[in-house]
């Protein structure tokens, strides 16, 4: 038997002991079926996340994982593979006992996802697990497969009677990308809702699983001092940056058909935007929070084809050097078309046309092969009036900035002006810093733990509803259409740089500049 779940642990902070709440509820006894069980996502994220959940004693005793994949393999071979993968990709070390606990719950099923026979065999495995008491009828299907298989797999599951909730709950987690554009997202949603009820569908965006992303809500709504200034009266503009040092790795084929706008902006960056800009929800109920997130996306002023050049920059990396290592150009990456026009960098300016944010620009940028891995949200406040300092050596008053650092150095910093000691009136910018690691001793996670746990307890707050996905596509649709098949306006940036000059020009036109992250400033 497992010990009781951790209800609470305490950490030592500079201000004394602080209780860190842990969910007291162990996830419901269930079986998790992973389609794409030998793929990258399963080995890098899903199984290490299950390992971590078990480490936090949040998985039930009656729990099983059925891996489904095309690669022929026995259950024993799959267990050995998972054992090796956990050694390599586990984020919190690997303890033999815990690995063995997880491995003992694994089964593997080989088959073609388009074959009816596979689903009959899967049904037999699920029934056997239930009858032996190793698991229950409750079942979570995780589609860690290429997007083209989402619809067919769900159809097969439905036809095999595996989605019916007569004996217990049945939930389906669908990975991104959810559609390729607005039409295909709508078509996929229609296909799914014909087979599943909305409460059974969990559209995942792993950014919402990051603690620091969730903290945006806590920071805004659990403190009295920030919300009153969180609006157009005090905020000059907002910047959201998701910078990556990696290129397309082994995903050239997927990425070349997708690009940064679809891969990152339409989902991850828009969710950061939604959490930063949304109104306070009336509760933490899933729909209350999701209602507010979708309202932000719907309030974004539509992009007009004629105005795109002034608001959107796309670019692709050329050869360069990242973190001291020479790297090839995007077009030289494996499985990428030599004449590809796919963007690996996007910067855009958008406006959220509501009472809180009217006329406050939001600048978003993301790119691969940038000099530093960094995700942050920066609120830049309006400058103080200069008048008082006119007869002093102070040349100008820099704007105050609040920086929410999502990764890798999770924390929050406030940049403000202070007097430089000495007889003259001189100012210097200083930082007031809060770092998660100092207070809570952040343990590295995969980012999937919360999401898997939430799906197992039926909490869909951090998942997308169909309307959120469609609202995101509605915003980017005019841009994607304008880019379709056109090479115009695709400047290159050197790998290892902060992106193309056009992105700086986008800011310069508004007499603003991108926030220079700490490591390079
Ligand atoms: C994925 C994208 O959703 O997010 C990848 O498909 C990207 O291209 C990744 O690299 C970034 O996630 P993280 O958690 O490393 O910031």
């Amino acid at each position: 038997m497992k010990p009781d779940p951790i209800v609470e642990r305490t950490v030592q902070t500079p201000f004394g002991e602080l209780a860190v709440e842990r969910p007291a509820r162990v996830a419901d006894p269930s079986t998790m079926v992973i389609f794409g069980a030998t793929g990258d996502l399963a080995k890098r994220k899903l199984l290490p996340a299950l390992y971590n959940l078990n480490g936090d004693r949040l998985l039930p005793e009656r729990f099983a994982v059925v891996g489904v994949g095309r690669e022929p393999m026995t259950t024993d071979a799959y267990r050995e593979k998972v054992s090796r993968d956990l050694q390599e990709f586990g984020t919190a070390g690997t303890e033999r006992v815990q690995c063995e606990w997880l491995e003992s719950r694994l089964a593997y099923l080989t088959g073609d996802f388009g074959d009816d026979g596979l689903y009959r065999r899967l049904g037999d495995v699920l029934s056997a697990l239930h009858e032996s008491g190793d698991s229950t009828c409750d079942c979570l299907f995780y589609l860690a497969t290429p997007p083209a298989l989402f619809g067919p797999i769900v159809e097969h599951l439905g036809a095999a009677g595996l989605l019916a909730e007569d004996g217990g709950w049945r939930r389906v987690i669908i990975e991104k990308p959810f559609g390729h554009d607005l039409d295909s997202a709508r078509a996929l949603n229609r296909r799914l809702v014909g087979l599943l009820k909305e409460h059974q569908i969990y559209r995942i965006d792993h950014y919402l699983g990051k603690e620091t992303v969730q903290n945006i809500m806590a920071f805004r709504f659990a403190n009295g001092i920030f919300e009153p200034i969180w609006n157009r009266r005090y905020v000059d503009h907002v910047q959201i940056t998701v910078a990556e040092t990696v290129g397309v790795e082994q995903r050239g084929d997927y990425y070349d058909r997708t690009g940064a706008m679809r891969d990152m902006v339409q989902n991850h960056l828009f969710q950061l935007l939604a959490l930063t800009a949304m109104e306070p929800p009336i509760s933490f109920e899933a729909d209350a929070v999701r209602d507010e997130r979708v309202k932000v996306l719907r309030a974004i002023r539509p992009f007009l084809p004629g105005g795109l050049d002034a608001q959107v920059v796309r670019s692709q990396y050329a050869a360069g050097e990242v973190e001291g290592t020479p790297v090839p150009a995007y077009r030289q990456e494996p499985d990428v078309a030599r004449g590809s026009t796919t963007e690996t960098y996007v910067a855009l300016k958008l406006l959220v046309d509501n009472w809180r944010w009217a006329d406050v620009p939001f600048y978003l940028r993301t790119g691969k092969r940038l000099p530093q891995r960094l995700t942050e949200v920066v609120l830049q406040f309006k400058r103080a009036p200069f008048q008082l300092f006119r007869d002093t050596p102070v040349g100008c008053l820099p704007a105050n900035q609040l920086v929410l650092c999502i990764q890798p150095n999770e924390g929050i910093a406030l940049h403000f002006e202070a007097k430089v000691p000495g007889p003259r009136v001189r100012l210097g910018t200083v930082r007031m810093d809060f770092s998660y690691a100092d207070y809570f001793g952040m343990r590295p996670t995969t980012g999937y733990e919360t999401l898997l746990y939430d799906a197992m307890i039926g909490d869909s707050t951090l998942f997308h509803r169909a309307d959120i996905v469609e609202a995101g596509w509605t915003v980017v649709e005019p841009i994607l259409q304008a880019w379709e098949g056109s090479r115009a306006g695709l400047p290159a940036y050197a790998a290892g740089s902060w992106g193309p000059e056009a992105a700086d020009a986008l800011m310069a036109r508004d007499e603003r500049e991108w926030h220079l992250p700490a490591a390079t400033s």
Side-chain angles (χ1 to χ4, degrees):
M1 278 301 288
K2 292 206 267 186
D4 285 343
I6 300 167
V7 177
E8 192 180 274
R9 72 185 164 98
T10 50
V11 290
Q12 206 54 46
T13 76
F15 296 119
E17 255 190 6
L18 194 75
V20 182
E21 293 281 337
R22 285 300 173 123
R25 174 176 164 191
V26 176
D28 299 345
S30 56
T31 303
M32 179 168 164
V33 177
I34 305 177
F35 287 90
T38 55
D40 246 36
L41 182 69
K43 80 171 172 198
R44 287 173 190 271
K45 304 285 184 189
L46 303 183
L47 286 149
L50 289 176
Y51 173 91
N52 289 344
L53 280 176
N54 183 44
D56 280 347
R57 302 174 202 155
L58 292 172
L59 291 185
E61 239 347 89
R62 293 173 73 201
F63 179 70
V65 179
V66 181
V68 185
R70 266 181 295 227
E71 204 176 309
M73 209 184 288
T74 61
T75 286
D76 281 345
Y78 185 60
R79 288 178 174 175
E80 278 165 31
K81 173 183 155 40
V82 169
S83 169
R84 286 192 304 274
D85 292 342
L86 285 176
Q87 300 297 330
E88 189 173 350
F89 300 110
T91 59
T94 39
E95 276 179 32
R96 201 54 249 153
V97 180
Q98 284 186 39
C99 287
E100 280 168 8
W101 185 89
L102 185 57
E103 284 154 35
S104 70
R105 266 128 183 103
L106 298 175
Y108 185 79
L109 210 53
T110 308
D112 180 336
F113 298 153
D115 171 22
D116 292 341
L118 171 68
Y119 299 84
R120 275 196 299 277
R121 284 188 288 130
L122 177 59
D124 293 343
V125 172
L126 295 179
S127 304
L129 284 166
H130 181 208
E131 279 154 25
S132 67
D134 288 339
S135 188
T136 62
C137 275
D138 297 331
C139 193
L140 181 63
F141 298 99
Y142 199 118
L143 309 193
T145 65
L149 297 174
F150 297 161
I153 292 176
V154 173
E155 272 159 15
H156 277 96
L157 286 171
L162 297 177
L163 299 177
E165 294 198 291
D166 32 24
W169 54 256
R170 297 286 155 126
R171 298 174 191 144
V172 180
I173 300 189
I174 297 182
E175 259 297 330
K176 62 171 269 281
F178 200 83
H180 192 69
D181 52 19
L182 184 56
D183 281 349
S184 57
R186 281 188 175 144
L188 180 56
N189 277 328
R190 275 197 302 272
R191 213 165 162 183
L192 295 181
V193 293
L195 297 152
L196 291 158
K197 305 255 180 342
E198 180 65 31
H199 76 262
Q200 293 178 277
I201 309 173
Y202 288 69
R203 299 173 191 82
I204 205 164
D205 180 327
H206 79 280
Y207 263 60
L208 292 175
K210 293 180 192 278
E211 281 287 346
T212 36
V213 172
Q214 292 166 39
N215 186 47
I216 297 175
M217 267 203 289
F219 180 73
R220 289 185 55 195
F221 304 133
N223 296 297
I225 58 172
F226 302 113
E227 211 40 34
I229 55 168
W230 207 270
N231 57 49
R232 63 195 299 261
R233 189 151 174 215
Y234 299 100
V235 177
D236 175 73
H237 73 274
V238 179
Q239 299 185 17
I240 299 179
T241 296
V242 180
E244 297 187 274
T245 51
V246 291
V248 292
E249 300 180 298
Q250 307 314 313
R251 303 159 71 224
D253 181 44
Y254 153 79
Y255 195 88
D256 209 31
R257 284 179 283 116
T258 308
M261 186 66 97
R262 291 183 169 95
D263 187 48
M264 297 294 288
V265 176
Q266 182 271 343
N267 34 67
H268 304 327
L269 275 87
F270 277 5
Q271 288 316 308
L272 293 173
L273 165 74
L275 290 171
T276 306
M278 74 184 197
E279 295 302 316
I282 53 160
S283 75
F284 281 122
E285 287 289 304
D287 277 332
V289 177
R290 302 196 294 186
D291 286 347
E292 298 308 331
R293 281 176 18 217
V294 76
K295 279 188 210 163
V296 173
L297 300 182
R298 289 199 182 130
I300 294 175
R301 187 182 296 178
F303 288 96
L304 300 175
L308 283 187
D309 287 350
Q311 279 178 273
V312 188
V313 171
R314 63 170 167 161
S315 185
Q316 190 186 73
Y317 63 81
E321 199 172 282
V322 179
E323 294 173 325
T325 307
V327 296
Y330 173 71
R331 289 181 193 166
Q332 305 306 318
E333 299 276 17
D335 302 322
V336 168
R338 293 297 163 249
S340 171
T341 57
T342 300
E343 77 288 354
T344 60
Y345 178 100
V346 173
L348 60 134
K349 168 184 172 181
L350 52 81
L351 292 164
V352 177
D353 266 340
N354 60 20
W355 277 79
R356 187 189 282 260
W357 295 115
D359 303 325
V360 177
F362 284 74
Y363 300 95
L364 276 52
R365 63 175 167 166
T366 183
K368 294 209 179 278
R369 291 290 191 221
L370 298 185
Q372 185 179 334
R373 177 169 185 252
L374 177 84
T375 299
E376 66 175 21
V377 177
V378 180
L379 272 84
Q380 178 151 325
F381 292 91
K382 292 189 172 163
R383 287 168 204 268
F386 184 71
Q387 180 74 351
L388 180 63
F389 293 87
R390 68 191 181 284
D391 297 327
T392 72
V394 174
C396 70
L397 293 179
N400 302 144
Q401 290 177 326
L402 184 70
V403 182
L404 311 181
C405 188
I406 310 294
Q407 58 186 21
N409 303 315
E410 293 89 350
I412 294 171
L414 184 63
H415 299 200
F416 57 95
E417 296 306 290
K419 183 176 173 301
V420 177
R424 297 196 307 157
V425 180
R426 286 193 304 133
L427 298 176
T429 302
V430 296
R431 283 165 64 104
M432 209 152 75
D433 256 325
F434 150 70
S435 153
Y436 264 83
D438 292 348
Y439 279 77
F440 306 120
M442 292 271 283
R443 190 187 65 172
T445 63
T446 65
Y448 278 73
E449 289 78 0
T450 312
L451 296 170
L452 291 181
Y453 172 80
D454 283 359
M456 288 178 203
I457 62 165
D459 181 349
S460 51
T461 313
L462 297 175
F463 293 83
H464 292 327
R465 237 172 18 198
D467 57 350
I468 298 180
V469 174
E470 290 176 13
W473 282 121
T474 305
V475 174
V476 299
E477 187 89 337
I479 306 174
L480 294 172
Q481 280 172 1
W483 286 354
E484 193 74 27
S486 140
R487 234 174 216 264
L490 185 72
Y493 62 101
S497 72
W498 273 107
E501 280 171 17
D504 294 334
L506 175 96
M507 292 297 257
R509 276 196 295 278
D510 293 347
E511 295 179 14
R512 297 187 173 107
E513 51 188 34
W514 293 107
H515 175 241
L516 206 53
T520 54
S521 56

